[in-house]
Amino acid sequence: MKGQRIGAWIAIIIGATYFIVPLLGTLEFSLRKRRDAYSFDAYQSVFSDVNFRETFGYSMMMAALTIVFGMLLVVPTAYWVRLRLPQMRQVVEFITLLPLVIPAIVIVFGYIQMYKSSSYLPLTGSTTGTNILLMFSYITLSLPYMYRAVDTAMRAIDVRTLTEAAESLGAKWTTIMFKCIFPNVMSGVLSGAFITLAIVMGEFTMAALLGRPAFGPYLQRVGANQAYEPSALAVIAFSITWLSMGLLNLVSRFGKARPARV
């Protein structure tokens, strides 16, 4: 028993060293822009950069749109599969896993060919259309995580009983969905939302190939031309990811303690 405990602590220490030491090294290097002294000059340079504010704001906007439209796609689909089409569950799960198997560059090239300027739906022919196409691309990338989070939350409630109770009270489909189902799977929705936020903020391939001013391509450009600012941006990106993980853990605990309601 004591040997197992020691082994577990050794594994934790090795894992923490593997993740924390490189991050601490990156943080320390980002503070050394000023000769012979630690300073936040690199961070001041990053935050004063107009391109940083524009790309960060653009990616945050795309993340918000991706979360909203992804939620409107995934929650009704998971609900309908669980309630009316349980035999299609494995097929839907397989489809939602495809973005993990197909490389992002293949997906975005397929989108470009399908929605290029000479196609029946020329989304790449305008800025708004390209933004919409990028949002759909992000929804595709986040689909495995959003669907799993929502489906897990939906397993914790009795969907059929909630639906029958709402129907017996005269509720319509939209009322059932937005006033009964959504509130009861909100923990899963928020879990998927935080993961989606981390994906969108760090995604490079799709935004670069579609030529959109996102945060991922900005990180690459800064890393190719400057020394200390890329380390500062890496720390900022890690902070966003860790914040999302912390909020995800908080939401998961809240969801376990929250009873289903009609």
Side-chain angles (χ1 to χ4, degrees):
M1 195 71 177
K2 186 177 180 180
Q4 293 179 351
R5 187 177 302 173
I6 294 175
W9 276 108
I10 292 175
I12 292 173
I13 292 172
I14 293 174
T17 303
Y18 179 81
F19 285 105
I20 294 176
V21 170
L23 183 58
L24 291 177
T26 303
L27 175 62
E28 193 269 344
F29 182 77
S30 70
L31 299 174
R32 299 188 64 176
K33 185 174 183 179
R34 187 180 302 177
R35 186 181 297 272
D36 299 328
Y38 287 116
S39 69
F40 290 96
D41 291 351
Y43 294 89
Q44 292 176 358
S45 176
V46 167
F47 288 125
S48 62
D49 187 0
V50 176
N51 291 325
F52 168 79
R53 295 195 295 269
E54 290 179 351
T55 57
F56 188 84
Y58 178 84
S59 289
M60 288 296 292
M61 179 191 69
M62 294 303 298
L65 293 174
T66 301
I67 290 168
V68 171
F69 285 96
M71 175 184 64
L72 293 177
L73 171 66
V74 168
V75 175
T77 301
Y79 167 74
W80 194 254
V81 168
R82 181 164 289 275
L83 184 66
R84 303 295 185 188
L85 300 171
Q87 69 276 10
M88 294 294 294
R89 182 178 176 184
Q90 292 184 346
V91 176
V92 174
E93 289 183 350
F94 174 78
I95 293 173
T96 58
L97 286 175
L98 287 178
L100 297 178
V101 180
I102 304 174
I105 191 170
V106 175
I107 296 175
V108 71
F109 266 121
Y111 282 158
I112 292 173
Q113 291 298 316
M114 289 178 61
Y115 302 109
K116 59 186 178 181
S117 301
S118 59
S119 66
Y120 291 104
L121 190 59
L123 291 179
T124 59
S126 65
T127 300
T128 302
T130 307
N131 289 335
I132 293 174
L133 184 58
L134 181 60
M135 182 190 68
F136 288 152
S137 302
Y138 286 156
I139 291 175
T140 301
L141 286 183
S142 63
L143 192 60
Y145 311 100
M146 180 69 80
Y147 184 84
R148 287 296 177 287
V150 171
D151 186 62
T152 300
M154 207 164 284
R155 291 180 187 178
I157 63 175
D158 192 339
V159 173
R160 187 172 299 277
T161 300
L162 290 174
T163 302
E164 292 175 353
E167 288 177 343
S168 66
L169 296 174
K172 297 181 179 180
W173 184 85
T174 53
T175 303
I176 296 173
M177 182 58 60
F178 289 100
K179 291 188 177 181
C180 183
I181 300 301
F182 265 97
N184 285 297
V185 298
M186 190 53 63
S187 61
V189 170
L190 292 176
S191 298
F194 295 133
I195 298 175
T196 300
L197 174 63
I199 291 173
V200 172
M201 295 304 296
E203 202 281 326
F204 168 79
T205 305
M206 292 183 170
L209 292 178
L210 289 173
R212 304 313 302 141
F215 191 57
Y218 171 77
L219 291 174
Q220 188 275 332
R221 289 196 302 271
V222 173
N225 300 311
Q226 301 183 45
Y228 298 97
E229 283 77 2
S231 298
L233 286 171
V235 173
I236 294 172
F238 270 114
S239 299
I240 295 173
T241 303
W242 284 16
L243 177 62
S244 299
M245 292 174 62
L247 292 174
L248 174 61
N249 185 37
L250 183 64
V251 168
S252 299
R253 292 183 179 182
F254 176 75
K256 292 178 181 178
R258 183 180 179 183
R261 63 178 184 178
V262 180

